[in-house]
Amino acid sequence: DAVNLIDADVALITGIALDHTDWLGDNLQQIGAEKAGIMRAGRPAVFAASEMPDSIAETAQRLGAQLLRNGIDYHYQTGQHDWHWQSQTVRRSALPIPAMRGRYQIQNAAAVLQVLACLSDVLPVDQQAIRAGLLSASVSGRFQVVQRTCRWILDVAHNPQAVQELVTQLSDLYVPGHTHVVVGMLRDKALVDVLGTLAGRVDAWHLIDLSSQTRGASDQDLYQALAVDEQPRASCHADIDSCLAQLEAQATAEDVVLIVGSFVTVGQALAWLEHNPTLGYSRGSEDG
């Protein structure tokens, strides 16, 4: 990771997933050991997820880093409209639900609060500023919702774990019409697993050819990765621009268009949306 170039005052690892396996390893223990390389001796390291590979703790002990874990060194509880956080020395109550969509965002925010607690002597942040940050922070392409003729959702999920989180979020949506999935991926990703995880939510697949990109998968690669019973619902597209223009003309107000699979795919889609404006679109909009 490029972030390993920095001797940070505190390290934060949100979780470990099977991704970049050609660089990091083909199992969670190996990937955890690689990710733990951002830890530094004598400095805190926060781990956000509830489950952690043993290699993280082993690396922390070997380096002499202070490992702080969700559920052990700090805790959070969620309510219907707010949530609460506490460490061994600090408690914060009635925090607003993060503006960024996804149930896992509270888990991420809780880890950030632990990071802030570690930095409190040099970077104090008061409750008002924390509330403002939770309510305003946003990242383009992370379950970004854009309202056009119908609702469009853009998400850069590209590994099975991230796509499972996406499916969980989608399960909370009421979609009276059809769900169109526009997907373009890199060929070194787990194509079969990613598409298989999405399959139960898809009425029509729109497969994008990214073979002109470095490491990009072709539309035929994606077609072959689909389960046989999913293939009849799939169409192949040489580029994303023509695909989105076609969907814009065909989708009804009750449909949902999900664009997923790669930073490349979502980036190209955001560029198309910006250059083809319609009522309700603005750059970086979380709600359209």
Side-chain angles (χ1 to χ4, degrees), residues 192-236:
V192 172
D193 292 338
V194 166
L195 298 180
T197 302
L198 279 169
R201 299 288 308 184
V202 181
D203 296 303
W205 296 93
H206 306 269
L207 311 177
I208 307 302
D209 185 359
L210 292 184
S211 59
S212 62
Q213 302 281 333
T214 302
R215 299 162 45 219
S218 70
D219 50 349
Q220 290 302 312
D221 291 333
L222 297 175
Y223 185 84
Q224 294 301 322
L226 283 172
V228 173
D229 58 345
E230 293 289 324
Q231 291 175 344
R233 294 198 291 274
S235 59
C236 295

Side-chain angles (χ1 to χ4, degrees), residues 143-257:
F143 207 81
Q144 181 176 349
V145 179
V146 175
Q147 187 66 44
R148 292 174 73 93
T149 303
C150 65
R151 184 166 37 182
W152 293 47
I153 300 171
L154 302 97
D155 198 292
V156 296
H158 54 268
N159 63 54
Q161 290 84 354
V163 171
Q164 184 58 61
E165 291 286 356
L166 173 59
V167 169
T168 300
Q169 295 176 67
L170 291 172
S171 67
D172 293 333
L173 298 180
Y174 172 62
V175 183
H178 294 96
T179 298
H180 298 267
V181 172
V182 178
V183 57
M185 296 185 66
L186 302 182
R187 62 177 178 271
D188 55 359
K189 302 302 179 184
L191 304 184
V192 172
D193 292 338
V194 166
L195 298 180
T197 302
L198 279 169
R201 299 288 308 184
V202 181
D203 296 303
W205 296 93
H206 306 269
L207 311 177
I208 307 302
D209 185 359
L210 292 184
S211 59
S212 62
Q213 302 281 333
T214 302
R215 299 162 45 219
S218 70
D219 50 349
Q220 290 302 312
D221 291 333
L222 297 175
Y223 185 84
Q224 294 301 322
L226 283 172
V228 173
D229 58 345
E230 293 289 324
Q231 291 175 344
R233 294 198 291 274
S235 59
C236 295
H237 302 266
D239 63 87
I240 196 168
D241 288 5
S242 60
C243 174
L244 298 186
Q246 178 181 331
L247 270 175
E248 183 88 299
Q250 294 179 351
T252 72
E254 295 183 333
D255 293 346
V256 163
V257 174

Side-chain angles (χ1 to χ4, degrees), residues 15-96:
I16 302 298
L18 285 173
D19 201 1
H20 303 291
T21 53
D22 52 335
W23 289 95
L24 301 178
D26 59 7
N27 62 73
L28 296 181
Q29 294 294 343
Q30 289 180 340
I31 294 173
E34 292 291 336
K35 291 292 186 182
I38 66 171
M39 297 178 181
R40 293 295 183 266
R43 298 181 185 179
V46 180
F47 191 83
S50 56
E51 296 185 7
M52 185 186 75
D54 293 339
S55 57
I56 298 284
E58 292 166 1
T59 303
Q61 184 175 15
R62 176 173 55 81
L63 291 176
Q66 179 192 4
L67 182 60
L68 300 167
R69 294 185 58 183
N70 170 20
I72 298 176
D73 302 288
Y74 67 92
H75 307 265
Y76 67 92
Q77 293 180 320
T78 58
Q80 186 172 1
H81 302 294
D82 59 7
W83 60 289
H84 314 278
W85 179 92
Q86 69 177 50
S87 67
Q88 296 176 352
T89 58
V90 182
R91 178 177 176 83
R92 297 190 182 276
S93 301
L95 294 165

Side-chain angles (χ1 to χ4, degrees), residues 77-135:
Q77 293 180 320
T78 58
Q80 186 172 1
H81 302 294
D82 59 7
W83 60 289
H84 314 278
W85 179 92
Q86 69 177 50
S87 67
Q88 296 176 352
T89 58
V90 182
R91 178 177 176 83
R92 297 190 182 276
S93 301
L95 294 165
I97 302 298
M100 285 190 282
R101 298 169 185 266
R103 301 173 186 176
Y104 63 92
Q105 294 295 355
I106 292 181
Q107 176 179 282
N108 289 347
V112 171
L113 291 184
Q114 181 59 63
V115 169
L116 293 177
C118 293
L119 297 173
S120 60
D121 290 342
V122 295
L123 184 67
V125 181
D126 62 26
Q127 183 84 348
Q128 183 177 353
I130 288 172
R131 291 180 59 84
L134 290 168
L135 291 170

